[in-house]
Amino acid sequence: MNITNIVVKSSLNVDLNMRYIMMHIKDAKYDPSKFSAICWKHRSIQSSCLLFRNGKILLQGAKTYQQARLRMRRYARIIQRLGYNVALSAIEIVTITGLSDIGFPVDLNVMCSALPNASYEPELFNAMVYKKDNVSYSVFSSGKIVVAGVRHMSLINDVMEVLLELSLTI
């Protein structure tokens, strides 16, 4: 399975003045009437983040945990340079998204009837959706499978077992 996105969260352990931050950073959007966080995509960090008033920070766009950790630290350093006393707390994985390919086309109607908790409505979405243990699998007729909702890197092996089960039900 190729990991395509890791979403992580952390806290800067400081309250933030959103308007002050918006005056001093580029490539960010903030409209408190629509959403209470700063949506910030720094051009050189290559990940985007949501920055909340209470100091919580949510980062997406990394492909490994180490990459996410480094990018989170870079965002925290920029906030620190604005005069805030930042103390980045433990970085936790929120969700992991991955892509896998079983290598051959799939008949989604047959697969959907063979699996409990699976749904396939081609008028709404062109993939079969299968949920197991809070992990969602979107299976496409081409054989590609998108996995979303994995919370720990150690569960990747469990996900691979489910993918093998899916391919054997065909």
Side-chain angles (χ1 to χ4, degrees):
M1 184 170 74
N2 295 326
I3 295 174
T4 57
N5 187 27
I6 295 179
V7 179
V8 294
K9 69 178 180 177
S10 186
S11 178
L12 301 172
N13 295 310
V14 65
D15 288 335
L16 302 172
N17 181 340
M18 305 300 258
R19 301 223 184 265
Y20 175 79
I21 291 173
M22 283 304 297
M23 288 182 353
H24 291 89
I25 62 173
K26 298 178 183 178
D27 304 323
K29 296 177 185 174
Y30 178 59
D31 186 357
S33 65
K34 292 182 181 177
F35 189 59
S36 62
I38 293 175
C39 300
W40 186 10
K41 178 156 177 51
H42 195 276
R43 55 188 144 84
S44 69
I45 297 179
Q46 299 174 343
S47 286
S48 59
C49 78
L50 296 175
L51 191 59
F52 294 90
R53 179 181 315 277
N54 63 359
K56 302 288 183 190
I57 184 170
L58 187 79
L59 181 125
Q60 69 175 7
K63 294 190 186 294
T64 64
Y65 176 75
Q66 291 78 14
Q67 193 178 63
R69 186 174 176 273
L70 176 67
R71 291 175 182 181
M72 180 77 77
R73 290 174 52 89
R74 289 183 69 193
Y75 274 112
R77 178 69 69 190
I78 293 169
I79 297 299
Q80 187 178 35
R81 287 187 192 133
L82 294 177
Y84 289 97
N85 189 13
V86 171
L88 194 63
S89 63
I91 299 170
E92 302 173 27
I93 294 176
V94 175
T95 186
I96 301 170
T97 304
L99 177 66
S100 185
D101 190 355
I102 57 176
F104 50 88
V106 178
D107 185 356
L108 296 178
N109 290 316
V110 172
M111 186 179 237
C112 184
S113 63
L115 292 170
N117 302 326
S119 66
Y120 176 53
E121 298 180 25
E123 301 86 20
L124 300 176
F125 186 54
N126 64 341
M128 180 196 74
V129 177
Y130 174 64
K131 294 187 179 185
K132 182 178 180 183
D133 300 329
N134 294 327
V135 178
S136 176
Y137 303 86
S138 298
V139 182
F140 294 87
S141 60
S142 64
K144 296 206 185 297
I145 302 173
V146 176
V147 180
V150 180
R151 292 187 164 255
H152 302 285
M153 294 298 276
S154 61
L155 297 178
I156 295 295
N157 291 334
D158 296 340
V159 169
M160 293 307 292
E161 288 177 16
V162 173
L163 291 177
L164 289 172
E165 288 175 22
L166 285 174
S167 64
L168 292 176
T169 59
I170 302 168

